[in-house]
Amino acid sequence: MKSPFYTAEHDAFRDVMRRFVDKEIAPFAHEWDEAGEFPRALYRKAAEIGLLGLGFPEEYGGIAADQFMKIVASQELARAGAGGVSASLMSHTIGSPPIARAARPEVKARVLPQVLSGDKISALAITEPGGGSDVANLRTSARRDGDHYVVSGEKTFITSGMRADYLTVAVRTGGEGAGGVSLLLIEDDTPGLSRTRLKKMGWWASDTATLHFDDCRVPAANLIGEEGQGFKIIMQNFNSERMGMAAGCTAFARVCLDEAIAYAKERKTFGKPLAQHQVIRHKIVDMAQKVAASQAMLEMLAWRLEQGESPVAEICMMKNQATQTMAFCASEAVQIFGGAGFMRGIKAERIYREVKVNAIGGGTEEIMKDLASRQMGL
């Protein structure tokens, strides 16, 4: 699909990404999903092609990248139809931006090069067992004790939670509400930190965990930003996270479309290919229409972000548009495949299992609508 937003540089990176996915991910996606994990060496391989460093400061091993380079990365990863691999491999894109933006210089210099080289894994820990996206009312506490904070509480549904080396954790250092929230960098060998693996509907290859903090002593130097400024930093993270999810979901929908088209041309029923049945052709056109609309909306929002705008309402709507498109296309693809679509091992089946996590993670569909309506002055 031609687009005026992509340059020769974007196209060259797309070629690199496509070769990487075809060689390093796609052949193993089903195997890794069944195993519930993928090799840690994949992080270093991703770093070698510049994937992990996109958008991070060059002084720490990052690579300058605009919104469209990030879209290319998300959408080429999605071609493997393995959301769990994408989620954990790229968990640093939500775990490390607060570090790059607001951590002390010595912390940035120590942590970011290790993450962007693929030697260490970064994750974000905000959600708690008693509350999901209600960041302002989180309960995990961090009490100052000399040159340390003492952290107590739990986080759950944390992507890369089992093997992350660096956890960017939202904690309460002050009173009630958003003003009492801060961010701390908690390292994997901190005494009192334990983890429980969680089993999920989809994203099997991604490790997901509940984190337990039992009086963990964390150096005060690991405070990210100032005390009480954590909520603001978290909110700054959301636009990028939701755009990345929207890009991936739109691409997963396209994978379902492409798989359905290929199968419909090959599979014969009642003496002719599925694609020659009008009802199947109409399904495919409906899928293609939704994918094209979502991609156009995504790219227009990316352009607006490049112009310095912050279209929060539209980004929230974009996330919902993309997840709804993914849900529709995954369902229709499985339907077109029939019994074969119910069997494990094909991309459409795997994507179908991963629909709901995208509609929930990064802010549920309901929260996106409420936030968008507030931004619209309603």
Side-chain angles (χ1 to χ4, degrees), residues 335-350:
Q335 191 71 18
I336 289 170
F337 270 85
F342 194 63
M343 299 297 105
R344 294 213 314 238
I346 69 167
K347 292 179 183 178
E349 180 272 336
R350 194 160 55 239

Side-chain angles (χ1 to χ4, degrees), residues 133-214:
S133 298
D134 190 6
V135 180
N137 290 308
L138 62 84
R139 296 182 178 182
T140 298
S141 66
R143 172 178 54 84
R144 186 67 181 259
D145 181 25
D147 58 358
H148 285 76
Y149 286 96
V150 180
V151 180
S152 299
E154 288 185 323
K155 299 292 179 180
T156 196
F157 311 141
I158 307 306
T159 300
S160 293
M162 288 303 298
R163 56 183 183 178
D165 302 285
Y166 296 115
L167 298 161
T168 300
V169 185
V171 296
R172 183 163 301 284
T173 53
E176 296 297 314
V181 176
S182 301
L183 282 175
L184 279 176
L185 177 67
I186 300 181
E187 302 181 38
D188 63 334
D189 59 354
T190 302
L193 169 63
S194 59
R195 323 182 195 208
T196 302
R197 185 181 297 274
L198 301 175
K199 293 185 177 181
K200 314 177 295 296
M201 178 190 297
W203 277 9
W204 294 350
S206 167
D207 68 283
T208 306
T210 294
L211 310 177
H212 313 274
F213 303 99
D214 184 13

Side-chain angles (χ1 to χ4, degrees), residues 77 83 87 306 361:
L77 279 175
E306 286 296 314

